[in-house]
Amino acid sequence: AGLGGIGLDTSREIVKSGPKNLVILDRIENPAAIAELKALNSKVTVTFYPYDVTVPLAETKKLLTTIFGKLKTVDLLINGAGILDDHQIERTIAVNFTGLVNTTTAILDFWDKRKGGPGGVVANICSVTGFNAIYQVPVYSASKAAVVSFTSSLAKLAPITGVTAYSINPGITKTTLVHKFNSWLDVEPRVAELLDEHPTQTTTQCAQNFVKAIEANQNGAIWKLDLGRLDPVNWTK
């Protein structure tokens, strides 16, 4: 989701840093945001494709075939779709976990060095809740823990696949995601308000540190992006 909350600010920072191409896949088209990104840096080609991460694996592969056909090389995949609503159990798992796994699996068709691919880099947007649950939203927190674990495994598989990976774990960030959301079985109807009492960071601060993490390009890193800082997390074995 390159056009919402943290995604849009990250897209802005990426465009400023000047890659050749930025391809944005999102469920909702936002022509104004695309136009703004294009205007930020004329050297970067920004393109948009409608995409819902919950589509079947075959559909994702088809879209990637189109993208790779046009670009020839893709260096970095950022998986950033996410929802926070513990009333929607299946959708939470589908978007936050299954969708990310499928998109990653699909791009391996093009990147896997065992198939003659060039390798690549996967940056997964997870969450600090992946290792420190907001227990009132256990489904969301668990979906993020699953992605942190999946990403760490991907990183260890790099010698086999040629694909490296790291996770981006934002703390509480001022986005629409945290304005109002439902706790599991309504165990805490005020969960959004309570979360609001914690210190937060802006999406811009988060995005700037995200670009620093991209530049560091450290396989297996578990980056914590919280309170305007970028810190590596040491996962306890």
Side-chain angles (χ1 to χ4, degrees):
L3 300 176
I6 293 171
L8 180 54
D9 266 334
T10 302
S11 296
R12 286 186 184 113
E13 296 301 325
I14 288 171
V15 168
K16 284 185 209 164
S17 73
K20 207 162 125 198
N21 292 288
L22 174 65
V23 179
I24 292 173
L25 310 178
D26 207 326
R27 228 161 41 97
I28 297 154
E29 192 164 0
N30 182 340
I34 297 289
E36 184 208 325
L37 291 171
K38 286 180 173 171
L40 267 181
N41 188 343
S42 58
K43 293 191 181 78
V44 183
T45 306
V46 180
T47 45
F48 172 84
Y49 293 89
Y51 176 59
D52 182 331
V53 296
T54 63
V55 299
L57 184 61
E59 217 170 300
T60 304
K61 286 183 181 178
K62 218 157 73 183
L63 176 59
L64 288 175
T65 303
T66 305
I67 293 167
F68 274 82
K70 290 208 168 105
L71 293 187
K72 304 296 178 266
T73 60
V74 175
D75 304 310
L76 170 68
L77 167 67
I78 299 172
N79 284 311
I83 63 163
L84 172 49
D85 180 353
D86 263 28
H87 284 183
Q88 298 188 61
I89 294 170
E90 286 186 16
R91 185 153 179 83
T92 294
I93 295 163
V95 172
N96 294 358
F97 182 57
T98 315
L100 177 145
V101 172
N102 281 350
T103 309
T104 305
T105 304
I107 208 164
L108 261 288
D109 258 15
F110 304 85
W111 275 355
D112 196 331
K113 70 178 188 185
R114 293 170 302 169
K115 295 181 175 182
V121 183
V122 180
N124 287 331
I125 303 184
C126 305
S127 162
V128 293
T129 61
F131 34 86
N132 189 6
I134 299 173
Y135 61 86
Q136 300 93 332
V137 282
V139 183
Y140 173 81
S141 300
S143 72
K144 293 299 186 176
V147 182
V148 174
S149 170
F150 177 71
T151 310
S152 296
S153 296
L154 277 178
K156 292 190 177 90
L157 291 170
I160 295 166
T161 61
V163 175
T164 60
Y166 49 86
S167 66
I168 299 294
N169 299 278
I172 304 166
T173 308
K174 289 192 183 89
T175 69
T176 52
L177 198 68
V178 294
H179 285 170
K180 183 184 179 319
F181 57 92
N182 296 306
S183 64
W184 178 68
L185 299 177
D186 294 321
V187 287
E188 178 46 85
R190 292 180 56 243
V191 65
E193 276 171 66
L194 294 171
L195 208 61
D196 233 14
E197 290 164 13
H198 290 264
T200 57
Q201 64 183 354
T202 65
T203 52
T204 308
Q205 286 174 306
C206 187
Q208 286 167 344
N209 283 321
F210 193 159
V211 170
K212 283 183 194 158
I214 291 171
E215 284 162 354
N217 195 25
Q218 196 183 320
N219 186 39
I222 301 171
W223 293 110
K224 181 170 123 181
L225 288 70
D226 198 15
L227 306 177
R229 290 169 49 97
L230 174 70
D231 298 298
V233 170
N234 295 313
W235 194 252
T236 49
K237 291 288 182 286

